[in-house]
Amino acid sequence: MPNNPKNSSVGTIALAALVGGATGALISLLFAPKSGKALRQDIQNKAVGLMEQVEDTTFQRAEAIKQRSTDLADKGKKLKTDIQIFIQDLRLKKPGYVDVTQSTSEETSSQPETETISEFVPTEVPPYEGAPTV
């Protein structure tokens, strides 16, 4: 997966904000005028809430990655099909070759069906370069 500077800087900022917020919350709890038991309960509640938030975020990220990978696989399959069609079109348009699979109905009716040629046949035969000159 390519490293996108914009996404990584946003992620870094989000992580810094999360860590800073958690640190600030902990410090404010420590300096609040509460009894030890109430303070411990508040810290436990905050920790549980933070863990649930981390689990939710992780689950959402995992689902997003799963969806992206499925989308990329689908795009790859479509691209493969498009390239195969493109190559077939290039072969059909190659100069000097005729597609004998697209013959007229008169030509096909005169030929038995077992003799159908599905290859490309050159219209001109190039001269043999190794032929002796006389």
Side-chain angles (χ1 to χ4, degrees):
M1 187 181 293
N3 229 352
N4 188 348
K6 185 176 181 181
N7 287 343
S8 64
S9 65
V10 170
T12 304
I13 291 170
L15 181 62
L18 181 66
V19 170
T23 304
L26 182 62
I27 289 174
S28 68
L29 286 174
L30 292 174
F31 288 106
K34 292 184 179 179
S35 68
K37 188 174 185 178
L39 179 61
R40 287 190 298 271
Q41 186 63 42
D42 284 349
I43 291 173
Q44 183 181 8
N45 291 342
K46 294 284 184 183
V48 168
L50 186 60
M51 288 302 294
E52 288 174 355
Q53 184 180 2
V54 167
E55 287 174 358
D56 290 343
T57 303
T58 304
F59 179 76
Q60 290 172 354
R61 293 284 181 162
E63 288 297 316
I65 290 171
K66 188 177 181 181
Q67 183 62 40
R68 282 187 197 168
S69 63
T70 302
D71 291 346
L72 285 175
D74 292 342
K75 285 181 182 179
K77 289 175 186 176
K78 184 179 181 330
L79 182 62
K80 177 185 172 189
T81 303
D82 290 347
I83 289 173
Q84 288 173 340
I85 291 170
F86 179 73
I87 290 172
Q88 288 175 350
D89 288 346
L90 284 179
R91 285 183 182 158
L92 291 175
K93 293 177 183 177
K94 188 173 181 181
Y97 283 83
V98 176
D99 182 11
V100 295
T101 60
Q102 296 179 356
S103 58
T104 62
S105 61
E106 293 174 5
E107 293 173 353
T108 55
S109 63
S110 65
Q111 296 177 354
E113 288 191 30
T114 57
E115 296 179 8
T116 303
I117 300 173
S118 63
E119 297 288 325
F120 294 101
V121 179
T123 56
E124 295 181 22
V125 177
Y128 176 67
E129 293 185 21
T133 55
V134 197

